[in-house]
Amino acid sequence: MAVISESVKAMNGYKLHVVKTEKYKTNTLVWKMKAPLEKDTVTLRSLLPHVLQSSSSSYPATGKLRSYLDELYGATLFVDLAKKGEYHVITISVEIANEQFLSDPTPLLKKAFQFLSEILTKPNVQGGAFDQDTVEKEKRTLKQRIQSVYDDKMRYSNFRLVQEMCKDEPYALHVNGEKEDVDKITPDSLYEYYQQAMAQDELDLYVIGDVDEADAESYAGELLSFEERTPQTAPASAGRAKESVNEVREEQDVKQGKLNIGYRTNVVYGDPDYYALQVFNGIFGGFSHSKLFLNVREKASLAYYVASRLESHKGLMMVMSGIDNSNYDQAVNIIKEQLEAMKNGDFTEQEMEQTKAVIKNQLLETVDTARGIVEVLYHNVVSGKEITLQTWMDEMDKVTKEEIAETAKKVSLDTVYFLTGKEAGK
Amino acid sequence: MEKITFDQLQEELYYESLENGLDVYILPKKGFNKTYATFTTKYGSIDNHFLPPGKGEFVKVPDGIAHFLEHKLFEKEDGDVFQQFSKQGASANAFTSFTRTAYLFSSTSNVELNLETLIDFVQDPYFTEKTVEKEKGIIGQEITMYDDNPDWRLYFGLIENMYKNHPVKIDIAGTIESISHITKDMLYECYETFYHPSNMLLFIVGPVNPDQIMSQVRNNQSKKNYKELPEIKRQFEEEPAEAAEKKKVLEMNVQTSKCLVGIKSSNANQSGKEMLKNELSLNVLLDILFGKSSEHYSSLYNAGLIDDTFSFDYTQEEGFGFAMVGGDTNDPDRLAETLKKMLLDAREKGAISQETLDRTKKKKIGAFLRAVNSPEYIANQFTRYAFNEMDLFDVVPTLESITLEDVENAAGNLISEERFTVCQVVPKK
């Protein structure tokens, strides 16, 4: 049984991926635009999808555009930005009810394609520039969005760790761009960038739901057509090999200290030892049965949350925890000991099997949601590999204790970031 | 076992009330990998003043104890239950709200084993002084984490403003001080009062065989001895109709201000169909007023008073209810004034057109279809509805039946100057 089956077709300038499933009462279109992450374009790219979704040539006011979506049984339009390794990915998705669950037989899927096409190809433009009011409003919101990272200390400390750890690498850039670059953007420059992105980005459209493949293909062919292109690839940057661990301490008026530790895993998605890395991360800190949770939280009572996660396309592992300011040394030591234990193969067969089972469970659960399906499949687009979910699970099953310990040995501590409360500094 | 079919939605729900009073629901979902099960007790942070079974006097327990009990139930003599679930390939979790404590797992294999583990661990408390003390450190960090979170402080600040006496104003986790008083005996007392099967609901959704699952649950329960539980007696102080405080400003380490406007509900004692209609009418009202297609949203956004963190919500449970509207803003006072005026104006009859109502109802129906894609949503919401004597699957027909008059009545009942309150978070000077 194939866990998810995706049919992929090359269209004009993009790839169409159809995943047919009867699980959902809605159909989902997910549009992805990928380009290298660069200082010069990151802020333009962050602004662009928000301008596109706020109005279009047929719906020049946000209220009109949103009323139309309400009319379509509350179809949702949603934009998002992500960093995948050294790429900056724009996602625009439309989700719409499947009319078989409504008493009204209006063919909604085609309307969803028409709407996505309107948003992408008929923006609210006059005289070679985006509508000025829209751009100004969205610039203001973008500045607030960038600024909001400072107010959520968990997000902030995570962002600061990456910034410190990846200094001089594109990955240090914030996913929403740089505040000081927002004001430089004009309706003209953004429109120029829009044309460039539409001509050069790697484009993918995913269609998930109980749809007829031929219908999807004919709607896509009729409504979405772009120039052929050879997508740009980001130069692989392994990151500097640091001579010593970078320790950063920042003081702010907070009650709880935020401890964020960054490691280089030296393994990325698609590498032969990527599966061992997944299991390693799971035993180390990915779950509530993991070493970090058991030793930092359950045994030492130092934290409510402590976990590690991977950035698979960049080869990073990040540990995050909220601790009392005075427990810094103890927490760092316990975390370091757990990594040493992993390197020494100091974990049981049972911990390993347990972790594999939980990861498998997590993957299967992920593909129970339309968005999860797209996330899993899109790894292949980012990495240029072709790994099915079944291969992923089979390969992970074969991973041995030795391979996990060997992979753990490749993991090196890079940066320890601590956001600490003011009293601790006194 | 009873079978209920929902033709339009193409779903089937199986139901049985067991001898010991436990309500069990099973919703088969073909094509899904995941089975999701929740085991929920009608016991939350507001249930802090009650009559323990067999006792003559009401007791008042420390703030945060329901949540503390939720944490402690995972620990057993031979280790912690998270471990056991993960050995069985499942992930487990729990949450405590104002009115409920839910324990849950999700898994794509070993479903029956995981279900057995879920039921058994919740029905087998094990508390010792030592493990209770240890938990105080962990929950202390959870509380401190929320203390630094401006959105949480804003949300609770607003509820505190509304209520003078009702325990909904108490933070679900309590305070570091209040949890320091919790003992193992208090945990047992709360457990004995609220964790009887007749006060609980089990919901299983996933690619399961309902006959098999129901007989498993029946067998499991028949092995356990439960004495019949007298009706649970909770005590709540009298609550005035008006908001307790008009305004609160919290200074925090933030760069952008935040502002929420709240309205305390006037219809806090509803349940069943009446409650469903009222809450859906108010949800429709708020959507008409503040949804992204509304004139108000555009004018607030265009004026730079809101950004995309702007949101609105109406919450109602037995004994309390409130609406809230707001988000991040550069001008919290102007936003509060504007929102208040918009809400007061919405009380006028004729302020809403039939066309807008019809469009909004369509939108809500689509949103419901989207929501029932999610097993988590179905299980959690079904339980919440059932505890309030409502039926989740009545949402679409009830939405369809809502008239302009319903919305106008709901608006008229809710919106009143004396029930308004404002909470703001502003940067520290």
Side-chain angles (χ1 to χ4, degrees):
Chain A
M1 176 199 78
V3 198
I4 16 174
S5 56
E6 166 193 33
S7 95
V8 188
K9 274 252 158 63
M11 307 295 284
N12 288 329
Y14 65 101
K15 284 205 180 83
L16 172 69
H17 310 244
V18 179
V19 179
K20 188 176 163 52
T21 164
E22 291 175 7
K23 276 192 242 185
Y24 312 119
K25 304 203 191 298
T26 52
N27 292 317
T28 306
L29 307 184
V30 180
W31 179 255
K32 295 263 186 191
M33 302 178 60
K34 164 178 156 284
L37 183 61
E38 284 164 359
K39 171 119 183 38
D40 289 346
T41 58
V42 66
T43 314
L44 284 160
R45 284 185 79 77
S46 308
L47 183 61
L48 179 61
H50 291 281
V51 168
L52 292 178
Q53 77 154 352
S54 73
S55 60
S56 73
S57 81
S58 309
Y59 307 102
T62 307
K64 288 247 171 347
L65 185 144
R66 292 281 161 183
S67 296
Y68 178 64
L69 289 170
D70 293 355
E71 253 339 300
L72 295 180
Y73 284 90
T76 59
L77 168 65
F78 174 77
V79 306
D80 188 28
L81 289 139
K83 288 193 289 183
K84 296 275 171 194
E86 236 88 67
Y87 291 101
H88 198 201
V89 179
I90 295 172
T91 303
I92 300 179
S93 45
V94 176
E95 187 176 353
I96 196 155
N98 184 329
E99 60 273 13
Q100 61 168 296
F101 301 101
L102 299 171
S103 38
D104 172 1
T106 311
L108 293 175
L109 181 65
K110 183 162 189 188
K111 293 200 181 268
F113 269 93
Q114 284 166 338
F115 182 75
L116 180 65
S117 163
E118 165 88 19
I119 293 294
L120 291 173
T121 65
K122 299 191 188 70
N124 188 6
V125 169
Q126 296 99 23
F130 279 112
D131 174 58
Q132 173 137 14
D133 274 1
T134 308
V135 172
E136 289 311 317
K137 265 185 293 181
E138 292 306 321
K139 279 164 70 174
R140 191 174 57 213
T141 309
L142 179 60
K143 279 193 265 181
Q144 270 178 254
R145 198 176 298 125
I146 294 169
Q147 193 168 292
S148 72
V149 74
Y150 296 93
D151 298 346
D152 177 337
K153 301 307 166 191
M154 224 185 268
R155 268 171 65 207
Y156 174 76
S157 52
N158 187 36
F159 158 68
R160 288 283 297 123
L161 168 69
V162 170
Q163 209 178 36
E164 290 290 339
M165 187 175 174
C166 301
K167 244 179 224 163
D168 310 322
E169 294 168 64
Y171 197 73
L173 292 166
H174 191 274
V175 69
N176 285 324
E178 312 270 308
K179 199 176 170 193
E180 62 275 16
D181 290 338
V182 176
D183 282 330
K184 295 177 204 154
I185 300 176
T186 64
D188 293 78
S189 70
L190 186 68
Y191 186 63
E192 200 178 308
Y193 183 71
Y194 158 77
Q195 289 177 309
Q196 183 194 321
M198 285 298 176
Q200 296 177 358
D201 277 14
E202 181 164 7
L203 307 175
D204 291 90
L205 172 60
Y206 292 83
V207 181
I208 319 285
D210 191 7
V211 296
D212 187 81
E213 223 174 279
D215 281 353
E217 203 185 317
S218 96
Y219 298 154
E222 180 192 330
L223 294 160
L224 292 160
S225 184
F226 301 91
E227 293 161 48
E228 291 305 325
R229 78 260 343 261
T230 309
Q232 294 167 274
T233 48
S237 80
R240 304 161 297 160
K242 291 208 179 65
E243 277 148 34
S244 60
V245 174
N246 182 17
E247 277 190 66
V248 183
R249 190 181 263 263
E250 187 176 334
E251 233 179 69
Q252 269 194 23
D253 182 12
V254 291
K255 288 191 184 167
Q256 184 176 65
K258 303 285 180 205
L259 175 61
N260 290 59
I261 307 180
Y263 301 83
R264 303 271 171 183
T265 66
N266 300 298
V267 177
V268 295
Y269 181 89
D271 285 350
D273 40 8
Y274 178 68
Y275 308 101
L277 179 72
Q278 283 282 348
V279 185
F280 153 77
N281 176 59
I283 302 174
F284 177 65
F287 301 101
S288 56
H289 68 270
S290 303
K291 287 188 182 297
L292 292 185
F293 193 87
L294 290 184
N295 290 288
V296 179
R297 173 174 151 142
E298 297 297 304
K299 286 199 186 131
S301 274
L302 296 182
Y304 169 66
Y305 71 93
V306 53
S308 65
R309 64 177 181 86
L310 297 172
E311 164 45 56
S312 297
H313 298 283
K314 175 67 183 163
L316 305 181
M317 180 174 75
M318 261 93 71
V319 167
M320 60 199 102
S321 183
I323 57 171
D324 199 85
N325 294 314
S326 59
N327 290 334
Y328 173 80
D329 291 325
Q330 197 191 350
V332 171
N333 285 336
I334 298 175
I335 294 166
K336 284 183 176 168
E337 280 164 22
Q338 304 317 306
L339 184 62
E340 278 313 303
M342 294 301 300
K343 291 185 182 189
N344 296 330
D346 186 8
F347 53 90
T348 62
E349 286 288 331
Q350 198 200 327
E351 278 175 279
M352 183 175 77
E353 291 311 321
Q354 190 174 347
T355 302
K356 287 179 181 176
V358 177
I359 295 175
K360 209 162 158 179
N361 184 51
Q362 200 179 51
L363 283 170
L364 288 169
E365 285 190 11
T366 301
V367 299
D368 271 348
T369 66
R371 191 160 297 174
I373 291 175
V374 175
E375 285 313 305
V376 167
L377 296 176
Y378 198 64
H379 280 307
N380 287 329
V381 174
V382 175
S383 63
K385 301 281 185 334
E386 278 185 42
I387 300 166
T388 65
L389 187 58
Q390 194 61 57
T391 310
W392 186 334
M393 292 193 295
D394 292 346
E395 291 300 314
M396 198 184 62
D397 256 340
K398 290 184 210 152
V399 167
T400 65
K401 245 189 109 184
E402 289 68 35
E403 287 165 347
I404 295 168
E406 283 310 306
T407 306
K409 285 178 194 150
K410 291 190 178 177
V411 175
S412 68
L413 176 58
D414 186 295
T415 300
V416 182
Y417 171 83
F418 191 47
L419 176 66
T420 175
K422 287 224 158 102
E423 308 111 73
K426 279 176 198 159
Chain B
M1 188 167 69
E2 218 181 298
K3 176 173 142 183
I4 312 156
T5 50
F6 304 97
D7 293 333
Q8 184 81 43
L9 287 173
Q10 301 172 27
E11 300 284 0
E12 288 175 350
L13 179 68
Y14 294 81
Y15 164 67
E16 189 166 314
S17 178
L18 303 187
E19 261 176 47
N20 62 20
L22 178 65
D23 283 334
V24 186
Y25 291 88
I26 302 167
L27 187 87
K29 271 270 184 197
K30 282 186 205 110
F32 275 74
N33 299 307
K34 161 160 80 181
T35 295
Y36 181 80
T38 58
F39 195 16
T40 310
T41 167
K42 193 176 176 180
Y43 168 50
S45 63
I46 64 166
D47 301 306
N48 65 351
H49 195 185
F50 56 85
L51 186 67
K55 284 209 177 163
E57 271 174 61
F58 276 83
V59 298
K60 204 155 187 184
V61 288
D63 294 348
I65 196 166
H67 169 261
F68 200 101
L69 173 51
E70 171 227 300
H71 270 242
K72 272 339 302 157
L73 215 45
F74 281 91
E75 194 161 313
K76 304 296 168 205
E77 199 164 2
D78 52 356
D80 106 49
V81 190
F82 282 123
Q83 285 283 342
Q84 199 179 333
F85 276 112
S86 65
K87 277 177 203 159
Q88 296 161 193
S91 59
N93 214 334
F95 62 85
T96 306
S97 72
F98 296 127
T99 53
R100 287 174 289 148
T101 312
Y103 300 84
L104 59 99
F105 77 83
S106 70
S107 76
T108 56
S109 59
N110 300 318
V111 168
E112 289 178 34
L113 194 56
N114 288 318
L115 182 59
E116 204 74 7
T117 305
L118 175 71
I119 301 172
D120 288 347
F121 102 78
V122 173
Q123 294 188 328
D124 181 26
Y126 173 79
F127 312 129
T128 68
E129 289 300 352
K130 201 175 149 212
T131 62
V132 167
E133 283 316 303
K134 192 207 72 181
E135 203 66 26
K136 290 177 182 174
I138 296 170
I139 295 180
Q141 284 308 318
E142 187 178 0
I143 292 168
T144 316
M145 177 179 84
Y146 282 111
D147 276 347
D148 281 335
N149 182 320
D151 289 309
W152 185 255
R153 295 274 305 275
L154 180 72
Y155 174 75
F156 255 99
L158 190 75
I159 299 173
E160 275 170 26
N161 278 1
M162 287 186 229
Y163 289 90
K164 184 165 177 277
N165 300 318
H166 197 283
V168 67
K169 65 187 257 184
I170 300 165
D171 193 310
I172 291 166
T175 64
I176 290 179
E177 203 278 326
S178 74
I179 64 168
S180 73
H181 303 294
I182 292 175
T183 64
K184 84 170 180 6
D185 294 333
M186 291 178 194
L187 293 176
Y188 276 114
E189 189 158 71
C190 293
Y191 185 89
E192 298 304 333
T193 309
F194 294 104
Y195 280 69
H196 189 277
S198 62
N199 193 44
M200 299 183 74
L201 191 153
L202 180 63
F203 199 102
I204 300 126
V205 47
V208 295
N209 175 333
D211 288 311
Q212 212 175 321
I213 294 285
M214 195 62 90
S215 85
Q216 182 195 346
V217 176
R218 243 182 253 130
N219 286 340
N220 176 296
Q221 291 301 284
S222 66
K223 284 182 229 149
K224 297 171 187 171
N225 287 317
Y226 282 98
K227 274 187 260 168
E228 205 162 308
L229 187 75
E231 192 201 344
I232 297 174
K233 289 206 170 76
R234 299 162 166 95
Q235 199 152 298
F236 295 98
E237 277 178 65
E238 200 63 25
E239 178 65 37
E242 73 273 11
E245 303 279 343
K246 296 309 280 176
K247 186 175 178 182
K248 175 164 25 197
V249 180
L250 303 166
E251 289 191 6
M252 286 186 75
N253 174 22
V254 295
Q255 299 199 353
T256 310
S257 296
K258 293 168 187 288
C259 171
L260 278 180
V261 170
I263 317 176
K264 186 175 176 178
S265 167
S266 59
N267 286 347
N269 291 314
Q270 293 175 326
S271 66
K273 286 196 188 312
E274 191 192 10
M275 178 171 171
L276 182 62
K277 187 145 204 173
N278 184 54
E279 89 175 14
L280 289 174
S281 300
L282 286 171
N283 279 316
V284 166
L285 172 75
L286 290 175
D287 217 297
I288 289 173
L289 292 178
F290 300 116
K292 281 191 171 167
S293 60
S294 67
E295 278 167 35
H296 289 336
Y297 184 90
S298 292
S299 80
L300 292 164
Y301 198 91
N302 294 350
L305 281 175
I306 59 170
D307 63 13
D308 46 17
T309 60
F310 181 76
S311 70
F312 50 88
D313 184 44
Y314 178 71
T315 303
Q316 187 174 347
E317 298 283 345
E318 198 181 322
F320 64 91
F322 44 81
M324 43 177 77
V325 188
D328 290 4
T329 179
N330 287 322
D331 194 343
D333 284 334
R334 220 177 110 214
L335 179 60
E337 282 313 310
T338 314
L339 290 174
K340 231 170 116 173
K341 183 169 185 318
M342 288 171 168
L343 284 158
L344 285 167
D345 288 349
R347 269 188 323 186
E348 304 307 316
K349 291 218 190 294
I352 299 163
S353 73
Q354 184 66 42
E355 189 197 338
T356 313
L357 174 66
D358 292 342
R359 190 176 64 231
T360 306
K361 282 162 65 175
K362 271 184 160 181
K363 175 184 178 182
K364 289 274 169 201
I365 291 167
F368 184 77
L369 288 183
R370 198 161 55 244
V372 296
N373 283 337
S374 157
E376 290 89 337
Y377 177 87
I378 296 173
N380 296 330
Q381 287 305 307
F382 188 92
T383 305
R384 176 190 163 258
Y385 275 67
F387 283 170
N388 287 308
E389 290 153 40
M390 307 188 285
D391 186 340
L392 178 67
F393 293 98
D394 281 344
V395 167
V396 171
T398 309
L399 268 172
E400 282 170 341
S401 77
I402 286 175
T403 62
L404 265 182
E405 203 188 349
D406 292 327
V407 178
E408 284 169 353
N409 286 342
N413 288 334
L414 176 75
I415 301 166
S416 154
E417 187 84 46
E418 56 165 21
R419 290 195 291 270
F420 269 105
T421 182
V422 176
C423 187
Q424 297 168 337
V425 167
V426 300
K428 255 188 193 161
K429 280 170 202 128

